[in-house]
Amino acid sequence: MVEGLEMICFQIISNVGTARSNYIEAIHRAKERDFEGAQQCLEAGQAEFLKGHDAHFELLQKEAKGMPVVGSLILIHAEDQLMSAEGFKIIAEEMIAGYRQMEALEKRLEQLEK
């Protein structure tokens, strides 16, 4: 069994949880038309996600070297959180693009009404 497995799992959960929070904040900022703030949140989220992803990759490397990574509920939870955060990133990027489009269309409409 991999030594420190629980700590690695908690590291993954912590990092990707922070990433997911950043992605959600990015959506909120885009809704308020703060696209610069939204981009900063996406970038901060990506940095945290990569930390969690790297910790997960560390487990994969250990298993590839013959150190068995025994499945546990905490590992399953960590992997679930990792995938959830990745999904939130995709959703955030799509929503931000949608808000940008809405803003551009609203500006065009305002110009046509003048």
Side-chain angles (χ1 to χ4, degrees):
M1 181 155 138
V2 172
E3 193 172 316
L5 177 64
E6 285 185 353
M7 288 306 296
I8 295 170
C9 289
F10 285 124
Q11 180 184 356
I12 294 167
I13 292 165
S14 175
N15 291 131
V16 301
T18 300
R20 187 175 51 230
S21 294
N22 278 298
Y23 298 147
I24 292 168
E25 179 64 23
I27 294 169
H28 289 248
R29 290 194 180 201
K31 185 177 181 182
E32 299 298 321
R33 305 300 198 258
D34 176 10
F35 297 114
E36 185 177 317
Q39 185 61 39
Q40 290 172 353
C41 289
L42 281 177
E43 290 169 6
Q46 184 63 14
E48 287 298 313
F49 181 83
L50 288 175
K51 289 178 192 175
H53 185 273
D54 288 346
H56 186 257
F57 188 68
E58 178 185 338
L59 290 177
L60 294 173
Q61 287 178 318
K62 288 182 182 207
E63 187 159 274
K65 292 178 182 175
M67 301 170 72
V69 177
V70 178
S72 67
L73 188 57
I74 193 73
L75 177 57
I76 293 167
H77 179 64
E79 289 179 330
D80 179 56
Q81 295 301 303
L82 182 76
M83 295 306 297
S84 172
E86 187 172 29
F88 269 92
K89 178 187 177 205
I90 293 166
I91 292 166
E93 289 172 336
E94 291 297 321
M95 290 189 73
I96 291 166
Y99 282 123
R100 285 183 188 271
Q101 265 188 331
M102 284 192 306
E103 183 180 55
L105 290 171
E106 288 169 354
K107 286 181 181 178
R108 278 185 61 197
L109 184 59
E110 286 174 12
Q111 290 174 351
L112 291 173
E113 290 176 345
K114 289 183 182 182

